Amino acid sequence: MSIRVGIVGISGFGGGEALRLIASHPSFELVYAAGESSAGSRLVDRFPGVPAKLAELVIEKWDPAALPKLDLLFASLPTGASAEALARVPRHVKIVDIGGDHRYVDGWAYGLADIWPAEIEGQSRVADPGCFPAATLTALAPLLADRLIEPGNIVIDVKTGISGAGRGGDSKFGYAESNENLVPYGLLRHTHMPEIAKTIERLSGGSAAGLVFTPHLVPMTRGILATIYCRGRATTQQCLDAARRFYAGRSFVRVTDRPPQTKWATGSNLAFVSYAADPERNLVIALGVVDNLGKGAAGQAVQNANLICGLPETAGLDGAPVWP
Amino acid sequence: MSIRVGIVGISGFGGGEALRLIASHPSFELVYAAGESSAGSRLVDRFPGVPAKLAELVIEKWDPAALPKLDLLFASLPTGASAEALARVPRHVKIVDIGGDHRYVDGWAYGLADIWPAEIEGQSRVADPGCFPAATLTALAPLLADRLIEPGNIVIDVKTGISGAGRGGDSKFGYAESNENLVPYGLLRHTHMPEIAKTIERLSGGSAAGLVFTPHLVPMTRGILATIYCRGRATTQQCLDAARRFYAGRSFVRVTDRPPQTKWATGSNLAFVSYAADPERNLVIALGVVDNLGKGAAGQAVQNANLICGLPETAGLDGAPVWP
Amino acid sequence: MSIRVGIVGISGFGGGEALRLIASHPSFELVYAAGESSAGSRLVDRFPGVPAKLAELVIEKWDPAALPKLDLLFASLPTGASAEALARVPRHVKIVDIGGDHRYVDGWAYGLADIWPAEIEGQSRVADPGCFPAATLTALAPLLADRLIEPGNIVIDVKTGISGAGRGGDSKFGYAESNENLVPYGLLRHTHMPEIAKTIERLSGGSAAGLVFTPHLVPMTRGILATIYCRGRATTQQCLDAARRFYAGRSFVRVTDRPPQTKWATGSNLAFVSYAADPERNLVIALGVVDNLGKGAAGQAVQNANLICGLPETAGLDGAPVWP
Amino acid sequence: MSIRVGIVGISGFGGGEALRLIASHPSFELVYAAGESSAGSRLVDRFPGVPAKLAELVIEKWDPAALPKLDLLFASLPTGASAEALARVPRHVKIVDIGGDHRYVDGWAYGLADIWPAEIEGQSRVADPGCFPAATLTALAPLLADRLIEPGNIVIDVKTGISGAGRGGDSKFGYAESNENLVPYGLLRHTHMPEIAKTIERLSGGSAAGLVFTPHLVPMTRGILATIYCRGRATTQQCLDAARRFYAGRSFVRVTDRPPQTKWATGSNLAFVSYAADPERNLVIALGVVDNLGKGAAGQAVQNANLICGLPETAGLDGAPVWP
């Protein structure tokens, strides 16, 4: 029996990736799509390769009072916009919010599905982690859980593809200015820090997190790599072992001996983590790779939706990455 | 019941894309992989995101005398290498050859599956069309079939992503030299011409084809666009109508009013065609877009494999394109 | 003695490239810069690598009534904006208009400097050719002058880098949507056609031009390649010889035996042309390559400025292309 | 009076950039070029846009016994190859070695020209710093000189364009595999570390350096960004002030308030440095940007050549960066 699904925010990159994943999901049936800039268009006008069965669905202006019969809603709205937009969605419609407004908000589960799936199962409101936290926390969690690093002294140097900046039309994200350009930004301040800090504290049993977070825009469309410098006395092998134990039986996190590359994850819900340590120097480097639109957004959202709908966690998410 | 499948040429881009598609195919089970440069490695060593069920499969040196029990073999070898490599494959193993050696060869069906599926169904040896012919012929076929253009006077200006040049290590395909560079090559001679000419003659009922074919390397990984200039008196609407009739009921060819872009097809088995005509000037422009590794290689191959195995033509090929 | 120079339209790509060239020009001294979106900033705020001598120059709102003492003005404004903006510039200030409003307008020389330098020398108002015409006409001129091709039957398939679309913020020119995407547009209509047609008619002694013009956006920042299909009975060698004669003694056009690549011209004022012909098939292919911001905009403008100021044509333009 | 100059290693990217800079240098005359893979070709065959005066120069096989009359030689050979290749160059020929073999070697000045120009002036043998050290040390030097950071605890996270990997033909540097891919490599080991450590110790008056160095390959052709995490109690303003004092009167280092982007330096010999500090957390972040082929290779080499030839340091290096 199929689950009736809607997407709000279909015009953006996260909404578009949700559409792609839902379109080939074995249990989801897309019956509703809303978007600001694309309202009035058919799906096929915006996504020329959309499966024929969805081609004629007309994108609507978002109106929570005029929803069709829905079981599940994916929201992919700009940070600041989803809290209000989703407030009046009827309670019986389950929601996965890809946007930033409901992370660590009362009444919303925090959807770090590879780590705490039990907190998500059976909920009706789930907030996806941000894309930077997804890459960072997936790499750090095993080290924190096993007390292999100090939570109070973590330097996170992250690099993201440009789709992470959203689909707005700022010329600084234009091809001509972004190509052949590597751009650090937001030094010593970044909106993702509180979310990462709070989760680190949970993972480490309450110890205070001390973070440095430096994001960089890389001239590529998709992909995030977090290179994380930590204090700890573990060996490389101990870190890898800890991660393999931590993620044993989990479907989407791959622990690798060699440093992961962003292209390994493109188009998939996979995360790759690896480690290099020098115990004599009290140093552990953790590496985390995700597709910012996959595990960092829509892939994670579908995984969360599977959990809240009682489906197999991997339903609709078993596609291998696109390479090259 | 699953069909036991092998791939020879897994080290290259075409073989890698075949792996991706086979891995999520509902009826194919990959039991064998062979490759020159990757022999001895496990699949996961070469394709870190490969599904867990395939991770430990060891890539072998190609030896047709030492095949496991196989129902179907995908071959993706350099032109010139597959004729000999495949000669001793047992007759009961069906073959789809993505490479160039068996196109219009006796005993091999020509796998232009969107146009002549009946010629492929039930065969045991099928040769995939080349990637340039796939883009070109899909756009031209409806016009030729309806006699809307002259087969003797066709200018084909094609643009391809760099994965079309294969995975060799020539520095001229290196990132630093290819990025920000657009490269025309092979003017007035090109290996794809005879294949295109022969097919045009079949499509037009025997009229001699007269072709100009100019390929260009574009700084992108995937994608082909053929911009084709023809002589004819049809209107744009007549061309579009002809194509919609020609492909009515077919699954993978999309006829669009606006000019198709290569990104519409990325990662899929779709082809997009469109037309612009000026009857007063005796001019028809046909546009064809495919992913050179999808409809231009592995996607087409899986479609052909479905046809020869009696499966639904779309099995394993219903994924929407990756965007952005 | 230095010539006092101004730029209006410094915020855009053409204006920025003019700045780069003027900054190292031996006879030009930049004393004025105006721009819409950057007014009030210092040059160094917008161009962090600008030479120290120019760093503190403040960008002004354009006001032709409040110009400082100027000998020469470069205008790089959107098509439609420069006619009005430049109307009240005092007559003694020479103008080179990179924008589109003054091409083939009375009182303005048409600045195809590699072909008709004598028409530009000593003028005070020059309109730069468009970037597509620059690539196209440079390749065609020798063939037309020697009657080697028919002007009435020319198919121009051009490919341009994305800086050619200007610096506006449309998301379709954003990195995420433009990367890995090849986009044909404007089939059977394009604003550059009348300019090309008129010039072809001049070059061919009055014969009517018959043109097909198809532009494509290529995922690269700079560069234009025109692949041009003509009717003619010349051999490849005759075409190359004609071009070598035509451009003998000229500084910026290179005639090459092998097909030119866009990267050959990057950052320079060079144009590359080559030819491939098949007389038996009545076919001549002409290829033209320029940097759309160099020979296609600011490089051409400086060349024109040199001509109207009585300077050596190559002053400030002798830098080799940037490779890779 | 012109200085007679040669290049050995013209086939590679560093040699090519040296050619570009020498071609427009006011005092250098290129009279000799040698290269392995390009021997026998004319310069114009390899560099189609080379100025006409150099076009016919034939590239030779390297033979130090058969040099023409030379004043100055630029060497750009793979690490490991230049020590032997240069051993027999006559003493009266000055050498700037862009390659890695003569850094901190007796008889060779270390060419960190923005910091220690006096050590280079008048020498006849200079070794260019590596590209990673150039970006890193330029950013760190003012902080070390003023004791604002601890030399024993420095984390260097560097990102480089792919031309930094040289021009070899490894398929992993191919466009298809490098595009849309961000690749960390060489964790906890890297050949540039001893050079950086030794220089840090000099800059800090002998204190031992403690370094973590993590390089990443970024999908772009040119550019390096070093993001460097240090321990120190200075404020952002103190760091910026220190850098402005340190580089006062120097031509090629720009100290900026906002984080520098790699594109700011493309094609130039500029370095950009900036800082962000949080004294309460004992944290200083230093940022350094160079073009790996400019300040990181050939630009630096020309600057060093100017110093050893008694020319103005900026001769031939005053071109503004290429943007966009």
Side-chain angles (χ1 to χ4, degrees):
Chain A
M1 204 212 62
S2 78
I3 293 166
R4 293 171 60 86
V5 169
I7 301 174
V8 55
I10 193 97
S11 314
F13 295 142
E17 184 73 350
L19 169 61
R20 183 174 77 92
L21 296 174
I22 292 166
S24 58
H25 192 287
S27 302
F28 292 163
E29 180 192 4
L30 188 74
V31 298
Y32 174 76
E36 193 69 22
S37 71
S38 51
S41 308
R42 298 169 305 160
L43 277 183
V44 72
D45 298 326
R46 292 296 171 133
F47 302 93
V50 75
K53 63 183 178 189
L54 296 176
E56 300 298 323
L57 188 67
V58 174
I59 301 169
E60 313 204 7
K61 264 263 187 281
W62 170 246
D63 179 358
L67 293 178
K69 185 174 175 314
L70 275 189
D71 300 308
L72 174 65
L73 179 70
F74 291 89
S76 184
L77 298 165
T79 295
S82 69
E84 193 193 320
L86 303 180
R88 284 173 303 139
V89 174
R91 197 67 208 168
H92 69 269
V93 179
K94 295 183 172 76
I95 305 179
V96 179
D97 188 358
I98 299 174
D101 287 5
H102 294 106
R103 295 169 194 151
Y104 286 110
V105 162
D106 266 3
W108 289 76
Y110 181 63
L112 200 54
D114 300 307
I115 299 180
W116 294 307
E119 300 189 5
I120 300 159
E121 287 164 0
Q123 300 299 314
S124 83
R125 294 285 183 277
V126 182
D128 248 24
C131 55
F132 288 138
T136 302
L137 296 167
T138 309
L140 289 180
L143 306 182
L144 291 163
D146 280 12
R147 308 286 186 272
L148 298 180
I149 58 170
E150 301 170 19
N153 195 341
I154 297 175
V155 172
I156 306 165
D157 190 285
V158 290
K159 299 92 175 167
T160 181
I162 294 170
S163 65
R167 207 187 167 191
D170 193 318
S171 81
K172 77 182 171 194
F173 304 127
Y175 186 90
E177 291 177 69
S178 294
N179 190 36
E180 284 285 311
N181 200 9
L182 175 62
V183 180
Y185 66 98
L187 273 74
L188 296 184
R189 64 188 141 77
H190 199 276
T191 54
H192 286 293
M193 276 227 282
E195 179 188 346
I196 295 176
K198 193 166 290 192
T199 311
I200 284 177
E201 287 163 17
R202 287 183 64 195
L203 285 162
S204 62
S207 307
L211 304 180
V212 178
F213 185 86
T214 313
H216 303 75
L217 270 181
V218 174
M220 59 188 191
T221 297
R222 291 176 176 232
I224 289 182
L225 168 69
T227 312
I228 313 169
Y229 301 92
C230 313
R231 295 285 159 200
R233 296 283 175 192
T235 63
T236 301
Q237 196 56 50
Q238 285 172 319
C239 295
L240 291 167
D241 290 346
R244 291 197 169 106
R245 276 194 311 271
F246 190 87
Y247 290 115
R250 306 299 294 134
S251 296
F252 296 111
V253 184
R254 303 281 171 92
V255 183
T256 62
D257 289 331
R258 54 185 175 127
Q261 309 176 2
T262 60
K263 205 161 183 145
W264 292 2
T266 302
S268 80
N269 188 44
L270 295 174
F272 292 86
V273 300
S274 190
Y275 305 92
D278 184 345
E280 292 188 16
R281 300 179 58 197
N282 194 26
L283 173 74
V284 173
I285 304 177
L287 298 169
V289 155
V290 301
D291 181 336
N292 59 302
L293 297 178
K295 170 60 70 190
Q300 181 77 287
V302 169
Q303 184 181 355
N304 281 321
N306 288 339
L307 288 170
I308 64 180
C309 294
L311 299 169
E313 191 179 27
T314 57
L317 293 172
D318 47 8
V322 175
W323 180 89
Chain B
M1 204 212 63
S2 78
I3 292 165
R4 294 171 60 85
V5 168
I7 302 174
V8 55
I10 193 96
S11 314
F13 296 141
E17 185 73 349
L19 169 61
R20 182 174 78 91
L21 296 174
I22 291 165
S24 58
H25 193 286
S27 302
F28 292 165
E29 180 191 5
L30 188 75
V31 298
Y32 173 78
E36 194 70 21
S37 71
S38 52
S41 307
R42 299 168 305 159
L43 278 183
V44 72
D45 299 327
R46 293 295 171 134
F47 302 94
V50 75
K53 64 183 178 190
L54 297 175
E56 301 298 322
L57 189 67
V58 173
I59 301 170
E60 314 206 5
K61 266 261 187 282
W62 171 246
D63 179 359
L67 293 178
K69 184 175 175 313
L70 275 189
D71 300 308
L72 175 64
L73 179 70
F74 291 90
S76 183
L77 298 165
T79 295
S82 69
E84 193 193 321
L86 302 180
R88 284 174 303 138
V89 175
R91 198 66 209 168
H92 69 269
V93 179
K94 295 183 172 75
I95 305 179
V96 179
D97 188 359
I98 299 174
D101 286 5
H102 293 107
R103 295 171 193 150
Y104 286 109
V105 163
D106 266 2
W108 289 76
Y110 181 64
L112 201 55
D114 300 307
I115 299 180
W116 295 307
E119 300 190 5
I120 300 158
E121 288 164 359
Q123 300 298 315
S124 85
R125 295 285 183 275
V126 182
D128 249 23
C131 55
F132 287 138
T136 301
L137 296 167
T138 308
L140 289 180
L143 307 183
L144 291 163
D146 278 13
R147 307 288 185 270
L148 299 180
I149 58 170
E150 300 170 19
N153 194 340
I154 297 177
V155 172
I156 306 165
D157 189 285
V158 288
K159 299 91 174 169
T160 181
I162 294 170
S163 65
R167 206 187 169 193
D170 193 318
S171 82
K172 78 182 169 193
F173 304 128
Y175 186 90
E177 290 176 71
S178 294
N179 190 37
E180 285 287 302
N181 200 9
L182 176 62
V183 181
Y185 66 98
L187 272 73
L188 296 184
R189 64 188 140 76
H190 200 276
T191 53
H192 287 293
M193 277 226 283
E195 180 187 347
I196 295 176
K198 193 165 294 194
T199 311
I200 284 176
E201 286 163 18
R202 289 184 63 196
L203 284 162
S204 61
S207 306
L211 303 180
V212 179
F213 185 86
T214 313
H216 302 75
L217 270 181
V218 174
M220 59 187 190
T221 298
R222 291 177 176 232
I224 288 182
L225 168 70
T227 313
I228 314 169
Y229 301 91
C230 314
R231 295 284 159 204
R233 296 283 176 192
T235 63
T236 300
Q237 195 56 50
Q238 286 172 320
C239 296
L240 290 167
D241 289 346
R244 291 198 169 105
R245 275 193 311 272
F246 190 87
Y247 290 116
R250 306 298 294 133
S251 295
F252 295 112
V253 184
R254 304 279 172 93
V255 183
T256 63
D257 289 329
R258 53 185 174 127
Q261 311 177 2
T262 60
K263 204 161 184 144
W264 291 2
T266 302
S268 81
N269 188 44
L270 295 174
F272 292 86
V273 300
S274 190
Y275 305 92
D278 183 346
E280 292 188 16
R281 301 179 59 196
N282 194 26
L283 173 74
V284 173
I285 304 176
L287 299 169
V289 156
V290 300
D291 181 338
N292 59 302
L293 297 178
K295 170 61 68 190
Q300 181 78 289
V302 168
Q303 184 180 355
N304 280 322
N306 288 339
L307 288 169
I308 64 181
C309 294
L311 299 170
E313 190 179 28
T314 58
L317 293 172
D318 47 8
V322 175
W323 181 90
Chain C
M1 201 213 63
S2 78
I3 292 165
R4 294 171 59 86
V5 168
I7 301 174
V8 56
I10 192 96
S11 315
F13 295 141
E17 185 72 350
L19 169 61
R20 182 174 79 92
L21 296 173
I22 292 165
S24 58
H25 193 286
S27 302
F28 292 163
E29 179 192 4
L30 187 75
V31 298
Y32 173 77
E36 193 70 22
S37 70
S38 53
S41 308
R42 299 169 305 160
L43 278 183
V44 71
D45 299 326
R46 292 296 171 133
F47 302 93
V50 76
K53 64 183 178 189
L54 297 175
E56 301 297 322
L57 188 69
V58 174
I59 301 169
E60 313 206 6
K61 265 260 186 284
W62 170 246
D63 179 359
L67 293 178
K69 184 174 176 313
L70 275 189
D71 301 307
L72 176 63
L73 178 71
F74 292 90
S76 184
L77 298 165
T79 294
S82 69
E84 193 193 321
L86 303 179
R88 284 173 303 138
V89 175
R91 198 67 208 168
H92 69 269
V93 179
K94 296 182 173 76
I95 304 179
V96 178
D97 188 359
I98 300 174
D101 286 6
H102 294 106
R103 295 171 193 149
Y104 285 111
V105 163
D106 266 1
W108 290 75
Y110 181 63
L112 201 56
D114 300 307
I115 299 180
W116 294 307
E119 300 190 5
I120 300 159
E121 287 163 0
Q123 300 298 314
S124 85
R125 295 286 183 274
V126 182
D128 249 24
C131 54
F132 288 137
T136 301
L137 296 166
T138 309
L140 289 180
L143 307 183
L144 291 163
D146 279 12
R147 306 289 185 268
L148 299 179
I149 58 171
E150 301 170 18
N153 194 341
I154 297 176
V155 172
I156 306 165
D157 189 285
V158 290
K159 299 91 174 168
T160 181
I162 294 170
S163 66
R167 207 188 167 192
D170 193 318
S171 81
K172 78 182 171 195
F173 304 128
Y175 186 91
E177 291 176 70
S178 294
N179 189 38
E180 284 287 299
N181 200 10
L182 176 62
V183 180
Y185 67 97
L187 273 74
L188 296 184
R189 66 189 138 76
H190 199 275
T191 53
H192 287 291
M193 277 227 282
E195 179 187 348
I196 296 175
K198 193 166 293 193
T199 312
I200 284 176
E201 286 162 19
R202 289 183 63 195
L203 284 162
S204 61
S207 306
L211 303 180
V212 179
F213 186 86
T214 313
H216 303 74
L217 271 180
V218 174
M220 59 187 191
T221 297
R222 289 176 177 234
I224 288 182
L225 168 70
T227 313
I228 314 169
Y229 302 91
C230 312
R231 296 284 158 202
R233 297 282 176 195
T235 63
T236 300
Q237 196 55 50
Q238 286 172 319
C239 296
L240 290 167
D241 289 346
R244 291 197 168 105
R245 276 193 311 272
F246 191 87
Y247 291 115
R250 306 298 294 133
S251 296
F252 295 113
V253 184
R254 304 280 172 93
V255 183
T256 63
D257 291 329
R258 54 185 173 127
Q261 311 176 2
T262 60
K263 204 161 184 145
W264 292 2
T266 302
S268 81
N269 188 43
L270 295 174
F272 292 87
V273 301
S274 190
Y275 306 92
D278 183 346
E280 292 189 17
R281 301 180 57 198
N282 194 25
L283 173 74
V284 173
I285 304 177
L287 299 169
V289 155
V290 300
D291 181 337
N292 59 302
L293 298 178
K295 170 60 69 190
Q300 180 78 288
V302 168
Q303 184 180 356
N304 280 321
N306 288 339
L307 288 169
I308 65 181
C309 294
L311 300 169
E313 189 178 31
T314 57
L317 293 173
D318 47 8
V322 175
W323 179 91
Chain D
M1 202 212 64
S2 78
I3 293 165
R4 293 171 59 87
V5 169
I7 301 174
V8 54
I10 191 97
S11 315
F13 295 140
E17 184 73 351
L19 168 61
R20 182 174 78 92
L21 295 174
I22 292 165
S24 58
H25 192 286
S27 302
F28 292 164
E29 180 192 3
L30 188 75
V31 298
Y32 174 77
E36 193 70 22
S37 71
S38 52
S41 307
R42 299 168 304 159
L43 278 183
V44 73
D45 299 326
R46 292 296 171 132
F47 302 94
V50 76
K53 63 183 179 189
L54 298 175
E56 300 298 321
L57 188 68
V58 174
I59 300 169
E60 314 206 5
K61 265 264 188 279
W62 170 246
D63 177 358
L67 293 179
K69 185 174 173 316
L70 274 189
D71 301 307
L72 175 64
L73 179 70
F74 291 90
S76 184
L77 297 165
T79 295
S82 69
E84 193 193 320
L86 302 179
R88 283 172 304 138
V89 174
R91 196 68 207 167
H92 69 269
V93 179
K94 295 183 173 74
I95 305 179
V96 178
D97 188 359
I98 299 174
D101 287 5
H102 293 107
R103 295 171 193 151
Y104 286 110
V105 162
D106 266 0
W108 289 76
Y110 181 64
L112 200 56
D114 300 306
I115 300 180
W116 294 307
E119 300 189 5
I120 300 159
E121 288 164 0
Q123 300 298 314
S124 85
R125 295 286 184 275
V126 182
D128 249 23
C131 55
F132 288 138
T136 301
L137 296 167
T138 309
L140 288 180
L143 306 183
L144 292 163
D146 279 12
R147 307 288 186 271
L148 298 180
I149 58 169
E150 302 170 17
N153 195 341
I154 296 176
V155 172
I156 306 165
D157 189 284
V158 290
K159 300 90 175 169
T160 181
I162 293 170
S163 65
R167 207 187 167 192
D170 193 318
S171 81
K172 78 183 171 193
F173 304 127
Y175 186 91
E177 292 176 71
S178 294
N179 189 36
E180 284 288 300
N181 200 10
L182 175 62
V183 180
Y185 66 97
L187 273 74
L188 296 184
R189 62 189 142 77
H190 200 276
T191 53
H192 286 292
M193 276 227 281
E195 180 188 349
I196 296 176
K198 193 165 292 192
T199 312
I200 284 177
E201 287 162 17
R202 288 183 64 195
L203 285 161
S204 61
S207 306
L211 303 180
V212 178
F213 186 86
T214 313
H216 303 75
L217 270 181
V218 173
M220 58 187 191
T221 297
R222 289 175 176 234
I224 288 182
L225 168 70
T227 312
I228 314 170
Y229 301 92
C230 313
R231 296 284 158 201
R233 297 284 176 192
T235 64
T236 300
Q237 196 55 52
Q238 286 173 319
C239 296
L240 290 167
D241 289 347
R244 292 198 168 104
R245 277 194 310 273
F246 190 87
Y247 291 115
R250 306 297 295 133
S251 296
F252 296 113
V253 184
R254 304 280 172 92
V255 184
T256 63
D257 290 330
R258 53 183 176 128
Q261 310 177 3
T262 60
K263 205 161 184 145
W264 292 3
T266 301
S268 81
N269 188 43
L270 295 175
F272 291 87
V273 300
S274 190
Y275 305 92
D278 184 345
E280 292 188 16
R281 301 180 59 196
N282 194 25
L283 172 75
V284 173
I285 304 177
L287 299 169
V289 155
V290 301
D291 180 338
N292 59 302
L293 297 178
K295 170 60 71 191
Q300 180 78 286
V302 169
Q303 184 181 355
N304 280 321
N306 289 339
L307 288 170
I308 65 181
C309 294
L311 300 169
E313 189 179 29
T314 57
L317 294 173
D318 48 7
V322 175
W323 180 90

